Amino acid sequence: MFGVIDLPTYLAGLILIVLLPGPNSLYVLSVAARRGVRSGYTAAAGVWCGDAVLMTLSAAGVASLLQGNAVLFGIVKYAGAGYLTWLAVGMLRAAWGMWRTRRDKDVTEAPVAAPPGERPFRRALVVSLLNPKAILFFIAFFVQFVSESNPVLGFVTLGVLAQVASVLYLSALIFGGSRLAAAFRRRRALSAGATSAAGALFLGFAAKLSLASV
């Protein structure tokens, strides 16, 4: 049906995969908590565009090329780890600034400031694209559910279902994160602690990615 083999199994696996925490969902949640629903959806749009590009590259066989070329895989892997580290450092610096000004009454009631030059869409897009494990996962997971009789329709169907699941999940994170924004504005120390935790998690993602193997 629709070029897909064993659709129920794919949907069950997709739900589990979408719910697994990762740098993309964490960044969207962080943006929504700091800057509100609109900025959260801006970051989410970057994730969706990045996922669409990865799905297209996977369907075109680029993931198989990475899988068979250790040097190319290493370049993409360390580039991704380096970018995640850079984001983590920026979050930790922002958290330090929040901590230092936690008792400033003029700042306490103001919205949590964004890091200088932060562009949620672009950052989320780059985080998605510089994730070689995601590329390998897409090709390994998708291929086994694509019917040989109609592979194009199969990839499109699986991709649309994946994007719908991502939209629902990230929307839940965005609205949940926006509710945290009010608490962050009232409590500067809480905002600093949450931003520090996000930065530490990004460092963890970077370390995990740098140790990944083909």
Side-chain angles (χ1 to χ4, degrees), residues 1-207:
M1 181 183 292
F2 302 110
V4 178
I5 301 173
D6 198 1
L7 182 59
T9 300
Y10 171 76
L11 291 176
L14 178 62
I15 292 173
L16 294 176
I17 292 160
V18 168
L19 293 178
L20 289 175
N24 290 350
S25 58
L26 177 61
Y27 181 67
V28 171
L29 177 61
S30 172
V31 170
R34 290 183 289 109
R35 303 178 61 179
V37 172
R38 184 174 180 178
S39 293
Y41 270 109
T42 300
V47 173
W48 298 326
C49 288
D51 286 347
V53 171
L54 291 180
M55 293 175 194
T56 302
L57 293 176
S58 296
V62 174
S64 297
L65 176 62
L66 284 177
Q67 205 167 15
N69 190 321
V71 175
L72 183 59
F73 178 83
I75 292 174
V76 178
K77 177 178 70 173
Y78 289 117
Y83 188 73
L84 291 178
T85 300
W86 180 71
L87 289 180
V89 171
M91 289 181 176
L92 293 174
R93 290 180 61 187
W96 175 245
M98 294 174 193
W99 182 258
R100 292 180 60 187
T101 59
R102 68 189 184 282
R103 299 185 185 280
D104 190 336
K105 293 183 179 180
D106 293 332
V107 176
T108 301
E109 298 299 326
V112 177
E118 182 180 23
R119 297 176 181 176
F121 177 87
R122 186 179 67 180
R123 288 196 175 188
L125 177 63
V126 175
V127 168
S128 297
L129 294 178
L130 292 179
N131 192 344
K133 293 296 290 184
I135 297 175
L136 298 179
F137 164 78
F138 277 128
I139 193 65
F141 188 71
F142 278 16
V143 167
Q144 58 185 311
F145 295 100
V146 176
S147 172
E148 294 182 0
S149 61
N150 198 340
V152 175
L153 180 59
F155 271 106
V156 171
T157 301
L158 297 176
V160 169
L161 291 173
Q163 291 288 48
V164 169
S166 180
V167 168
L168 294 176
Y169 177 60
L170 292 182
S171 293
L173 292 182
I174 288 169
F175 284 101
S178 65
R179 296 187 65 177
L180 295 175
F184 284 175
R185 287 195 293 268
R186 292 193 301 269
R187 301 180 181 179
R188 197 70 171 176
L190 176 62
S191 180
T195 305
S196 297
L201 286 174
F202 265 73
L203 285 178
F205 287 131

